[in-house]
Amino acid sequence: MIRSLLIAAMFMGASAAAAAEPVVFHRGTAAEPETLDPHLCDGNACGTPIYDMFVGLVTDDPEGHVTGGMADTWTISEDGLRYTFNLRDGLTWSDGVPITAADIVYSFSRSLAPETAARTSSLLYLIENARAVSAGTVPVEELGVAAPDPRTVTIDLERPAPYFLETLLISNAMPVPRHVIEEHGRQWTRPGTMVSNGAYVLAEWVPQSFVRVTRNPLFFDAENVAIDEVVFYPTTDLSTSLKRFRAGELDIVLNFPPSQIGWLRENMPDALRIHPTLGVYYYVFNTARPPFDDLRVRRALSIAVNRDLIVDQILQIGNPPAHGVVPPGIARHSDPYRPDYADTPYQDRLAEARALLSATGFGDDNPLTVTLRYNTQEEHERIAVALSVMWKEVGVLTELDNSDQSTVTRDLEARNFDLARYAWFAAYNDASTFLELMASGQPRLNFSGYSNPEFDALLAEAATMRDLDARADLLRRAEALAMADHPLLPIYFYVGKRLVSSAVKGWIDNPRSANRARWLRIEREYPGALRTGGWRSGPRPCMKAPARTPRDSDCA
């Protein structure tokens, strides 16, 4: 009897110890985040942790659709110009300070203020006076965001936009804590200082190593958040990230070496997740720098690219080749742009490219030399090498120049490049979010410096149209017009390619790749037991960092 009680006590103690372990989600991200300030973020590297720490008026559900965030209900005026949001009861920041409608007004004002210099502020230009506020020609007090009372926010638009709620999903539309920012300035995002309103709060940030966030007990839906901690690891080296995934050190990786796709299909089919997404991979021409200010040079380089070869032999996962910038899957845009040369035999295209370059003074005696900028990653390097080989066929010499994503982005903003690799994902499900990459007056998006008054006029006309089908036709015309000028060199449209551990439950592939930790669970099975939510005592992989997640002493 005593022996039975002792054994039972031992099992109870083991269960209690296991229950005390934090539920940890180990997540590979694209790169080291440049910032954790929602209004300064541009890209997945910072966006992934930010979306776990902050929630806007609306948010995305497990399938990537718009659902209630800080606002649980909202109404839209009959003319589509005013949105009225009703905030949930009892909203607070992670430090316990109440959130009011005035905080929302402050956050939109800060996001659009010229002194913030947010790269993607133009995504909010649907809001009344937003463009003028961002340009500094209208005071921020005239922005079309107001707080009639502490629990109500109204947003007035310049024009009706059926996709407006989707624009509120971007990080630029998220609230930030005024009381913390005014005290700490741009240092407000440091661990121990940062305050957020989402499912998680910042606990640690070790540059080039990891970002760790922990569950926010004051989040309005905290009782339904199953994961205690999320650790984000920058994984720019695809081979290393695959090794870490196979070793059980990462629960998800965003990418993997293209050369491993066959092995993964054969050996890890359940972990492999491939699905369409709304993004385009492209190179930007610096149209202000000779000789790339010459359309003939840009066209020659573009038509000499064999996109089918890149997607079939390098990527090998079914990416559609891209000649335009608007992906298939965008609303009312089922047929991607296809130029006049797309069906021309490749050898004939090479001949045309040589002739175009010859007409601009380049040839065997005077070869065109191009510096190709890209951010460090195996896949980007392979594509850059492929471009250099293709261009060599038409007498072009290519110098490859790679660095981290932040440096490439700064060079793009400074117009310090010949051609530079970039990518854009839909901020909302409408073709205009891609076409604005070529619009005048968008220096933070239009890195090429391209300007075409006819193209701008088509975008402006489309912005006023209520007939959505007619508007889509106009946007297709605008895309064809701009792409004939080749300010950008599209390569392919993205598909999501993830490796997701079987321990991750609730993961739903969706075009926006919106997979927030608050909707997920972790179930890890080890010899003799299954624990829902986190680690189970007993043999398991040893995680190296951060040291306390899990603890070193727990490593088998």
Side-chain angles (χ1 to χ4, degrees):
M1 179 69 175
I2 294 176
R3 184 171 182 273
S4 298
L5 290 173
L6 287 172
I7 293 174
M10 290 171 61
F11 273 106
M12 290 176 64
S15 298
E21 285 291 335
V23 178
V24 185
F25 180 23
H26 298 277
R27 187 165 193 162
T29 57
E32 172 72 14
E34 187 175 355
T35 180
L36 290 179
D37 186 325
H39 297 167
L40 300 180
C41 175
D42 177 19
N44 183 62
C46 54
T48 303
I50 283 172
Y51 284 120
D52 276 346
M53 291 190 288
F54 292 86
V55 62
L57 288 168
V58 296
T59 189
D60 28 35
D61 69 10
E63 296 181 344
H65 301 142
V66 174
T67 190
M70 289 187 298
D72 52 0
T73 61
W74 55 86
T75 57
I76 306 172
S77 63
E78 189 172 337
D79 61 5
L81 293 176
R82 170 164 287 190
Y83 285 67
T84 302
F85 297 90
N86 306 302
L87 300 185
R88 299 175 187 271
D89 289 328
L91 290 175
T92 69
W93 296 104
S94 56
D95 61 357
V97 174
I99 298 175
T100 69
D103 292 308
I104 312 304
V105 175
Y106 163 79
S107 298
F108 276 99
S109 299
R110 177 183 184 265
S111 180
L112 286 158
E115 57 268 25
T116 302
R119 287 177 184 153
T120 53
S121 60
S122 61
L123 299 176
L124 296 175
Y125 282 179
L126 285 168
I127 299 175
E128 186 177 56
N129 290 327
R131 182 187 296 268
V133 167
S134 184
T137 59
V138 164
V140 71
E141 291 77 17
E142 295 188 26
L143 183 66
V145 183
D149 61 63
R151 289 192 56 229
T152 305
V153 176
T154 61
I155 300 181
D156 294 328
L157 306 187
E158 296 273 2
R159 58 179 176 82
Y163 53 86
F164 174 66
L165 287 175
E166 290 190 43
T167 70
L168 297 182
L169 296 174
I170 66 174
S171 64
N172 285 80
M174 289 184 175
V176 291
R178 181 174 188 170
H179 64 289
V180 179
I181 293 172
E182 290 183 343
E183 180 178 355
H184 297 281
R186 294 219 170 187
Q187 306 303 314
W188 77 275
T189 56
R190 289 183 173 181
T193 300
M194 191 174 192
V195 169
S196 56
N197 76 321
Y200 296 89
V201 296
L202 180 64
E204 287 183 280
W205 183 4
V206 180
Q208 302 301 328
S209 184
F210 64 87
V211 172
R212 184 172 70 93
V213 300
T214 57
R215 200 160 67 93
N216 175 13
L218 299 182
F219 176 53
F220 65 79
D221 194 33
E223 64 182 14
N224 292 314
V225 177
I227 297 174
D228 295 316
E229 299 182 7
V230 187
V231 188
F232 305 90
Y233 303 87
T235 53
T236 54
D237 187 308
L238 301 186
S239 296
T240 299
S241 66
L242 176 57
K243 290 177 183 177
R244 295 188 69 183
F245 181 82
R246 292 182 61 190
E249 295 181 1
L250 294 176
D251 295 315
I252 173 179
V253 295
L254 298 178
N255 205 344
F256 46 79
S259 59
Q260 296 299 309
I261 183 63
W263 186 91
L264 289 167
R265 283 175 170 148
E266 182 176 351
N267 295 280
M268 304 183 72
D270 293 338
L272 185 61
R273 313 294 284 265
I274 297 176
H275 61 91
T277 58
L278 303 178
V280 60
Y281 183 112
Y282 64 98
Y283 275 85
V284 183
F285 283 105
N286 187 345
T287 63
R289 174 179 291 184
F292 309 105
D293 57 346
D294 191 319
L295 170 58
R296 294 170 295 178
V297 172
R298 300 195 302 269
R299 178 176 171 88
L301 293 174
S302 184
I303 67 177
V305 174
N306 189 335
R307 294 161 176 81
D308 291 328
L309 184 147
I310 291 173
V311 300
D312 292 341
Q313 296 188 23
I314 295 180
L315 302 177
Q316 303 180 49
I317 59 169
N319 297 80
H323 297 282
V325 293
V326 183
I330 285 290
R332 299 177 179 82
H333 202 95
S334 56
D335 298 320
Y337 167 74
R338 193 166 180 83
D340 56 352
Y341 64 83
D343 297 317
T344 301
Y346 185 57
Q347 291 302 318
D348 292 345
R349 285 161 46 188
L350 293 180
E352 181 188 346
R354 293 188 197 99
L356 287 167
L357 291 173
S358 178
T360 58
F362 295 105
D364 293 338
D365 296 332
N366 181 35
L368 170 63
T369 300
V370 175
T371 300
L372 204 60
R373 296 279 286 113
Y374 62 93
N375 55 299
T376 305
Q377 192 189 81
E378 178 183 343
E379 180 179 298
H380 305 330
E381 182 175 8
R382 295 186 67 187
I383 291 174
V385 169
L387 294 180
S388 70
V389 172
M390 294 171 189
W391 289 337
K392 187 175 181 180
E393 290 292 309
V394 296
V396 174
L397 303 180
T398 307
E399 298 176 353
L400 303 183
D401 183 8
N402 68 297
S403 58
D404 61 272
Q405 180 64 68
S406 297
T407 302
V408 173
T409 301
R410 285 195 292 269
D411 284 345
L412 282 162
E413 291 176 330
R415 307 300 191 265
N416 180 29
F417 66 96
D418 290 345
L419 278 87
R421 179 260 165 194
Y422 207 65
W424 188 253
F425 293 88
Y428 44 87
N429 195 349
D430 188 76
S432 63
T433 187
F434 292 94
L435 298 182
E436 287 173 1
L437 297 171
M438 300 175 287
S440 302
Q442 298 276 24
R444 295 168 186 162
L445 294 178
N446 182 1
F447 298 129
S448 71
Y450 174 70
S451 181
N452 183 326
E454 186 179 354
F455 172 76
D456 294 335
L458 289 174
L459 289 188
E461 182 181 352
T464 66
M465 298 179 69
R466 302 294 296 272
D467 185 324
L468 298 182
D469 291 328
R471 178 176 177 276
D473 289 339
L474 197 64
L475 292 177
R476 276 190 286 270
R477 283 175 50 198
E479 182 182 20
L481 177 68
M483 294 314 303
D485 287 338
H486 299 278
L488 307 178
L489 175 54
I491 304 296
Y492 65 82
F493 295 118
Y494 275 92
V495 296
K497 51 177 183 177
R498 312 280 189 263
L499 292 175
V500 181
S501 167
S502 60
V504 180
K505 307 300 181 183
W507 184 279
I508 300 175
D509 296 327
N510 59 79
R512 295 189 62 251
S513 295
N515 304 102
R516 314 307 176 203
R518 64 174 287 206
W519 305 118
L520 303 176
R521 306 183 318 281
I522 302 295
E523 297 179 0
R524 304 191 193 279
E525 187 171 7
Y526 298 101
L530 170 69
R531 181 181 172 200
T532 299
W535 294 105
R536 171 69 180 179
S537 59
R540 60 179 172 76
C542 177
M543 304 291 298
K544 295 181 180 179
R548 59 178 166 280
T549 313
R551 298 169 178 81
D552 289 338
S553 60
D554 292 333
C555 295

